[in-house]
Amino acid sequence: MLRNKNFIRLIIGSFISAIGSLGVNFLLSLYIFDNTKSINLLIFFNMMMLIPGTLVPLIIGPVVDSVNKKNIIINLDLIQFFIFLMITIFSKYSQFNYIFFLVLGLINISINTFYNIAFYAFIPDIVEKHDLQKVYSITSMMDPLIKVLIIPISIFLYTSFGIWIIFLINSLTYIIAVFIEKYISYEYLPKKKEHKSFFITFMENTHETIKYLKKEKGIKNIYIYFMIGMFGYSSIANLLYPFFEKHNTFSIQNYSQVMVAASTGLIIGGILHYFIKIPSKNKYLIALSVYILINTINAIIVYLPFQLMIITYFLYGVLSINSYNIRQTTTQVYIDANIRGRINGVFTVLNSLAMILGSILCMFLAKYLPYEIIITLFCSLGVLGAIKFIYLEKEEVKNIYNL
């Protein structure tokens, strides 16, 4: 697989652009809070950042399926380069403007969502089926590896020079990625275009996607489980940090250490998956066990002593990669290339809707219940979801996971 120059160019380009992108995504919230000192404005900002993940895939999925995916990736990186170059100048010489950075965040997340759908739909087009497990092991390590390495550097640069230096570095990573990705050799076979209005095309594609999910019960059950799992995870995303901040003995530094443990587990898990091939006949049983375990870990994490938290969340990281790897290597092969972008878009929409709904409910319940109770209740739903939609529907799901 490492001899596949097209994949090497794609992954290096994506890795380089992600270095700047993840730094910006992490620091934007910090920058908003530093300048507003308002929890409500920060929460509103974070909630708004979830909306593109709900709306963009509905429009983008059909586009990804009908045009050259390589060109999509290159053009999006080029657009991001110009956007962040202009934003560098604005942030360097202008005063803070909340609305401006809210719009910036929405544009950035929208383009990143578009990019991710195209990126994952493009991989099966340039990689052999038997190499997909290794490929997704590599892609799954990218975000946690970058977070471990780049976030401390980003914080240092931000506190030393300001947010503009992060924007400048981000713009440079995008243009470097463009020069690498343009050398990917890929023969695109254009489809015959039909002259239809956007609305008619959108409705036809939506109908086709719903029809596909009704027919493919295994895919539908997998997607429903992950939607429930993301709903449960919203409690971790929203309440774990406040739990540490308000705890009598834990601190913000302890929270950071737990997150680093999880990211380290993701990296180690990705390395293991690169070298260890899971037999197809065992993938379903392993996936089911992992789904139950990771939701159980999230449900009980707030009750553990700190040292055990570190160990448990390291294990959580290792297991999470297993969950991601098996789903990606099987569903992306199972789903036909002509509809893969649309189905991936639906998956992204369901997860975003679940996160938005879970976040709203978390904020409401946090006024009346202890954080740890909410986390336990939410994450327990993930365990029940795995039992209902993965275990009790095992025949349909097994046909996909054991592919």
Side-chain angles (χ1 to χ4, degrees):
M1 185 207 62
L2 291 178
R3 296 178 181 176
N4 187 331
K5 294 181 179 180
N6 288 327
F7 171 70
I8 296 299
R9 288 164 182 156
L10 176 64
I11 204 69
I12 291 176
S14 181
F15 184 88
I16 291 173
S17 64
I19 289 174
S21 180
L22 285 174
V24 167
N25 292 342
F26 173 77
L27 286 175
L28 265 181
S29 294
L30 184 62
Y31 182 62
I32 293 293
F33 184 71
D34 284 348
N35 283 273
T36 63
K37 304 300 180 184
S38 170
I39 291 293
N40 290 335
L41 288 175
L42 176 62
I43 292 174
F44 179 76
F45 179 86
N46 290 334
M47 289 286 294
M48 290 294 290
M49 293 308 102
L50 295 171
I51 293 177
T54 304
L55 300 179
V56 172
L58 294 175
I59 302 171
I60 296 310
V63 175
V64 171
D65 288 332
S66 59
V67 300
N68 190 325
K69 301 178 185 69
K70 173 189 170 182
N71 289 344
I72 292 177
I73 290 171
I74 292 175
N75 289 332
L76 289 177
D77 279 342
L78 198 57
I79 290 170
Q80 289 283 65
F81 163 70
F82 286 111
I83 288 176
F84 278 97
L85 193 60
M86 290 186 290
I87 291 170
T88 299
I89 299 171
F90 177 88
S91 59
K92 174 70 173 174
Y93 299 105
S94 301
Q95 291 184 334
F96 171 80
N97 184 299
Y98 180 82
I99 299 300
F100 174 83
F101 283 100
L102 179 63
V103 173
L104 165 63
L106 290 171
I107 293 173
N108 183 47
I109 295 296
S110 297
I111 293 177
N112 285 343
T113 302
F114 191 173
Y115 181 96
N116 286 333
I117 292 173
F119 176 80
Y120 285 107
F122 188 38
I123 287 176
D125 292 344
I126 61 173
V127 174
E128 296 294 332
K129 176 182 174 181
H130 58 80
D131 284 331
L132 282 176
Q133 179 176 319
K134 291 184 177 181
V135 166
Y136 289 121
S137 295
I138 293 173
T139 59
S140 66
M141 288 189 288
M142 285 173 53
D143 281 9
L145 180 60
I146 292 170
K147 287 176 182 177
V148 170
L149 298 176
I150 298 302
I151 286 179
I153 299 174
S154 298
I155 293 175
F156 170 77
L157 292 173
Y158 168 62
T159 54
S160 301
F161 302 99
I163 194 72
W164 69 271
I165 192 69
I166 305 299
F167 293 146
L168 177 60
I169 293 172
N170 194 30
S171 66
L172 294 177
T173 61
Y174 282 118
I175 196 63
I176 293 171
V178 167
F179 281 110
I180 295 173
E181 292 161 346
K182 75 174 187 176
Y183 290 105
I184 296 174
S185 299
Y186 171 64
E187 183 180 356
Y188 171 68
L189 300 176
K191 299 176 183 179
K192 184 178 179 181
K193 294 185 178 180
E194 299 181 20
H195 298 284
K196 296 180 181 179
S197 70
F198 171 80
F199 179 76
I200 293 176
T201 303
F202 175 78
M203 294 304 296
E204 287 180 350
N205 286 326
T206 302
H207 174 73
E208 185 179 352
T209 302
I210 293 173
K211 184 178 178 181
Y212 178 86
L213 290 175
K214 285 183 177 180
K215 181 184 69 173
E216 296 293 346
K217 294 182 179 179
I219 294 291
K220 181 184 71 176
N221 287 324
I222 292 169
Y223 281 16
I224 292 175
Y225 158 71
F226 274 95
M227 185 177 182
I228 295 171
M230 291 304 293
F231 177 88
Y233 181 75
S234 68
S235 64
I236 293 289
N238 286 288
L239 300 178
L240 191 60
Y241 177 80
F243 167 79
F244 273 86
E245 187 181 41
K246 294 188 176 183
H247 199 275
N248 293 330
T249 56
F250 296 148
S251 65
I252 297 173
Q253 288 72 26
N254 294 142
Y255 170 79
S256 300
Q257 291 168 338
V258 171
M259 292 299 101
V260 169
S263 295
T264 305
L266 288 168
I267 296 170
I268 299 300
I271 293 172
L272 291 175
H273 271 279
Y274 181 83
F275 290 104
I276 301 174
K277 182 176 176 60
I278 300 176
S280 296
K281 64 179 181 180
N282 297 333
K283 286 183 178 179
Y284 166 78
L285 185 59
I286 292 174
L288 173 63
S289 303
V290 166
Y291 296 159
I292 293 174
L293 278 172
I294 60 177
N295 285 287
T296 301
I297 287 173
N298 278 334
I300 66 171
I301 191 71
V302 289
Y303 303 105
L304 301 177
F306 179 68
Q307 289 77 9
L308 195 53
M309 276 187 178
I310 294 291
I311 297 171
T312 304
Y313 242 45
F314 171 81
L315 177 62
Y316 170 83
V318 174
L319 294 174
S320 295
I321 285 298
N322 189 297
S323 166
Y324 165 86
N325 196 293
I326 290 177
R327 175 178 59 80
Q328 285 291 87
T329 56
T330 54
T331 59
Q332 295 303 299
V333 172
Y334 184 86
I335 300 171
D336 187 78
N338 293 326
I339 199 173
R340 191 183 296 138
R342 277 164 280 179
I343 300 300
N344 288 347
V346 168
F347 180 73
T348 304
V349 168
L350 292 176
N351 286 345
S352 297
L353 285 174
M355 283 290 289
I356 292 173
L357 180 60
S359 298
I360 293 172
L361 193 55
C362 278
M363 285 189 289
F364 172 77
L365 293 176
K367 299 177 182 179
Y368 307 102
L369 295 174
Y371 296 155
E372 52 265 45
I373 297 298
I374 300 172
I375 289 173
T376 300
L377 290 175
F378 272 51
C379 295
S380 295
L381 290 176
V383 177
L384 296 176
I387 294 172
K388 171 65 177 73
F389 293 100
I390 304 299
Y391 175 68
L392 296 181
E393 305 290 342
K394 60 183 175 182
E395 293 306 319
E396 287 82 5
V397 176
K398 188 185 292 186
N399 289 336
I400 298 172
Y401 278 174
N402 287 355
L403 187 66

